[in-house]
């Protein structure tokens, strides 16, 4: 009755590796200006490096505390559970591996869902990097992440001892709705901040690619100068899950440099009315799970799609909302069913369908010279375990 990965089942419960031709590295980047700065995990095509360790999946115990808050568990209980079951889990990307130069790569900015954070969509981000994308997975500071932090300088009195680091982490935890607070109002405010953070991340990566020096307050040994001239600035897209899907829509409306977007099992509540009135110009792919969506949400998606043939919606049969984050791969037994971390479809098959449809869509709308068009039928909902449109009945109920 194992909950998550343990050492005896480590190979069985493992985040899948990228299937593309590139090895994958990852590194974390945090800029200055405290909470106003950017925080992201970058996944990228890397030089082969068998001697470098894989990155830790959940890098700090405070994320366990934040997840505990989000799941309404006592922190002391949640922290122990998460540490025991997933404390040793790594993601199949080499930590701070050397960047693979020699070509310009398209850029994908990724936005996480409610209660998530930058590291737990690694199966998607690593696959995209293995296929030749630079992926900037943003960690949002709008109090929608389970936990996040910024670095602040210690006061002089605190840092007098030489052994004391001059920077300390200031943690921001998930904010629950207050009694009587209207959710739509809060989420709309948050989604606007999230979109700005995606645009900031875009600007930051383009700044690095242009050769400008950027200070990383996390002091990794990754060579940021190696990213000079690495981004194909005409091929940029945005992708996200759930609340991150709403963030994709908001980002597309604000930033035309995002040439297209992919919304995974989108939650439409945060999207403002102005978006429907002004519509989104760029192509947009909605990839839904079978079990999460409901009529009101689907009607909003259809309103946004309208009659635009560059906006598509497909549904993966047998999938659940948690088929997109990594927890579906590192969970087993009764707890996976209790938390609905797995659907009826094999998690690897579900993520392959999602990734293949995404890659085909990106090839078409970013004009990539790849072979991702072999998955074009998926974008139209044609293939095993995928349907066009939705499984949700949105016809008005018969009057009684």
């Amino acid at each position: 009755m194992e909950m998550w990965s343990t050492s005896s089942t480590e190979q069985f419960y493992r985040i899948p590796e990228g299937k593309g031709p590139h090895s994958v590295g990852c590194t974390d980047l945090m800029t200055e200006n405290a909470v106003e700065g950017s925080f992201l995990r970058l996944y990228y095509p890397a030089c082969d490096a068998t001697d470098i360790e894989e990155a830790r999946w959940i890098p700090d115990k405070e994320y366990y505390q934040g997840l505990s808050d989000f799941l309404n568990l006592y922190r002391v209980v949640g922290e122990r559970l998460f540490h025991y079951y997933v404390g040793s889990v790594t993601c199949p990307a080499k930590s701070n591996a050397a960047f693979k130069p020699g070509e310009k790569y398209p850029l994908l900015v990724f936005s996480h869902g409610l209660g998530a954070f930058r590291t737990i969509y690694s199966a998607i981000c690593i696959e995209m990097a293995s296929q030749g994308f630079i992926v900037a997975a943003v960690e949002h500071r709008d109090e929608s992440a389970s936990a996040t932090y910024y670095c602040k300088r210690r006061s002089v009195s605190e840092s007098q001892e030489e052994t004391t680091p001059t920077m300390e982490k200031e943690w921001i935890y998930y904010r629950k709705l207050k009694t009587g607070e209207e959710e739509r109002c809060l989420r709309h405010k948050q989604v606007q901040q999230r979109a700005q953070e995606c645009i900031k991340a875009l600007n930051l990566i383009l700044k690095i690619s242009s050769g400008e020096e950027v200070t990383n307050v996390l002091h990794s040994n990754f060579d940021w100068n190696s990213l000079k001239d690495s981004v194909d600035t005409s091929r940029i897209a945005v992708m996200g899950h759930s609340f991150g899907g709403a963030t994709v829509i908001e980002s597309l409306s604000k930033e035309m440099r995002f040439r297209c977007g992919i919304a995974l099992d989108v939650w439409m509540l945060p999207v403002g009315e102005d978006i429907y009135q002004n519509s989104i110009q760029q192509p947009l792919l909605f990839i839904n799970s079978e079990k999460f969506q409901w009529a009101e949400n689907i009607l909003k998606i259809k309103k946004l799609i309208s009659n635009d043939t560059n906006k598509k919606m497909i549904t993966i049969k047998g999938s659940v909302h948690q088929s997109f984050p990594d927890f579906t791969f590192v969970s087993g037994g009764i707890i996976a069913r209790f938390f609905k971390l797995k659907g009826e479809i094999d998690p690897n098959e579900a993520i392959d369908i999602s990734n293949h449809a995404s890659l085909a869509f990106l090839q078409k709308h970013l004009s990539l010279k790849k072979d991702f068009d072999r998955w074009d039928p998926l974008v139209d909902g044609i293939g095993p375990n995928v349907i066009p449109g939705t499984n949700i009945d949105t016809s008005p109920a018969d009057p009684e």
Side-chain angles (χ1 to χ4, degrees):
M1 291 296 188
E2 63 281 355
M3 178 174 164
W4 280 290
S5 169
T6 62
S7 55
S8 61
T9 56
E10 199 168 350
Q11 292 310 306
F12 185 66
Y13 294 124
R14 182 160 165 75
I15 296 163
E17 295 184 13
K19 297 178 173 66
H22 299 282
S23 296
V24 177
C26 73
T27 190
D28 289 324
L29 173 61
M30 185 187 291
T31 60
E32 296 171 302
N33 302 327
V35 76
E36 299 299 317
S38 283
F39 189 18
L40 58 87
R41 174 162 283 194
L42 198 76
Y43 300 85
Y44 52 88
C47 300
D48 291 332
T50 50
D51 57 329
I52 296 177
E53 287 186 358
E54 291 185 345
R56 280 182 68 191
W57 181 49
I58 298 181
D60 297 276
K61 70 175 179 6
E62 284 83 359
Y63 289 106
Y64 303 148
Q65 295 171 359
L67 285 166
S68 303
D69 294 351
F70 183 69
L71 296 170
N72 291 315
L73 298 170
Y74 288 114
R75 276 190 178 186
V76 66
V77 174
E79 188 180 332
R80 283 182 180 175
L81 280 172
F82 282 112
H83 179 73
Y84 179 76
Y85 285 109
V86 298
S88 61
V89 172
T90 58
C91 71
K94 297 300 179 79
S95 184
N96 297 318
F99 179 76
K100 187 178 182 180
E103 63 179 288
K104 285 182 182 279
Y105 301 102
L107 174 64
L108 189 58
V109 175
F110 192 94
S111 173
H112 65 72
L114 195 68
F117 39 93
R118 73 189 186 285
T119 68
I120 62 172
Y121 293 88
S122 67
I124 294 170
C125 297
I126 287 169
E127 175 60 16
M128 295 295 150
S130 81
Q131 298 287 0
F133 287 81
I134 293 173
V135 184
V138 176
E139 188 156 289
H140 292 296
R141 287 164 163 169
D142 61 335
E143 299 180 297
S144 69
S146 276
T148 186
Y149 66 93
Y150 60 90
C151 290
K152 69 171 189 177
R153 296 196 181 278
R154 290 179 187 271
S155 65
V156 176
S157 58
E158 285 179 306
S159 58
Q160 278 173 340
E161 289 185 38
E162 286 184 21
T163 54
T164 308
T166 55
M167 303 290 277
E168 64 177 333
K169 294 177 180 178
E170 185 76 15
W171 284 88
I172 304 165
Y173 290 100
Y174 175 74
R175 171 159 111 62
K176 295 186 175 176
L177 277 175
K178 295 168 184 162
T179 308
E181 185 176 19
E182 196 207 348
E183 181 159 33
R184 188 190 150 88
C185 185
L186 170 65
R187 303 307 180 202
H188 181 56
K189 185 181 173 191
Q190 287 176 320
V191 83
Q192 290 175 302
Q193 178 176 333
R194 287 165 142 260
Q196 289 302 335
E197 288 170 338
C198 287
I199 295 164
K200 261 189 215 171
L202 163 61
N203 290 332
L204 178 61
I205 301 304
L206 293 184
K207 188 176 171 183
I208 292 167
S209 182
S210 75
E212 280 192 57
E213 287 281 334
V214 168
T215 301
N216 183 10
V217 299
L218 300 178
H219 303 301
S220 70
N221 58 5
F222 181 73
D223 178 13
W224 289 97
N225 293 322
S226 65
L227 286 178
K228 188 173 188 297
D229 296 326
S230 63
V231 177
D232 185 337
T233 57
S234 68
R235 293 182 167 93
I236 299 166
V238 60
M239 184 180 197
H241 173 244
S242 194
F243 201 175
T247 308
V248 165
I249 294 165
E250 194 75 29
S251 299
L252 289 171
S253 77
K254 286 180 159 66
E255 181 53 78
M256 290 305 292
R257 286 176 298 173
F258 289 126
R259 280 183 51 187
C260 62
I262 300 168
L264 307 172
D265 229 9
V266 64
W267 180 38
M268 295 295 287
L269 177 80
V271 176
E273 284 303 317
D274 57 314
I275 302 286
Y276 300 102
Q277 271 132 36
N278 303 327
S279 78
I280 301 293
Q281 306 303 312
Q282 304 97 311
L284 185 52
L285 175 62
F286 294 92
I287 304 177
N288 294 342
S289 73
E290 185 181 350
K291 305 292 185 188
F292 174 70
Q293 294 294 335
W294 65 101
E296 183 187 5
N297 211 54
I298 293 290
L299 286 169
K300 288 178 177 178
I301 295 172
K302 286 184 170 180
K303 188 176 176 184
L304 201 63
I305 291 173
S306 188
N307 296 314
D308 186 345
T309 54
N310 284 326
K311 294 187 174 68
K312 306 267 190 185
M313 173 168 55
I314 61 172
T315 299
I316 301 172
K317 291 198 284 189
S319 60
V320 295
H321 197 51
Q322 296 300 324
S323 293
F324 299 94
D326 295 335
F327 278 105
T328 191
F329 300 107
V330 297
S331 60
I334 198 166
I335 300 291
R337 289 189 288 277
F338 180 78
F339 283 114
K340 297 188 173 68
L341 298 173
K342 290 185 195 291
E344 291 150 21
I345 191 173
D346 177 273
N348 290 281
E349 187 178 354
I351 210 73
D352 280 352
I353 292 169
S354 178
N355 286 337
H356 291 165
S358 298
L359 287 164
F361 185 80
L362 290 166
Q363 168 151 331
K364 180 177 181 182
H365 296 293
L366 297 181
S367 308
L368 303 175
K369 294 177 175 60
K370 302 279 188 178
D371 62 352
F372 307 151
D373 52 351
R374 64 191 146 135
W375 297 309
D376 277 351
L378 291 175
V379 180
D380 292 315
I382 299 164
N385 290 315
V386 64
I387 59 169
T390 182
N391 58 309
I392 303 295
D393 180 9
T394 55
S395 57
D398 293 329
E400 293 180 6

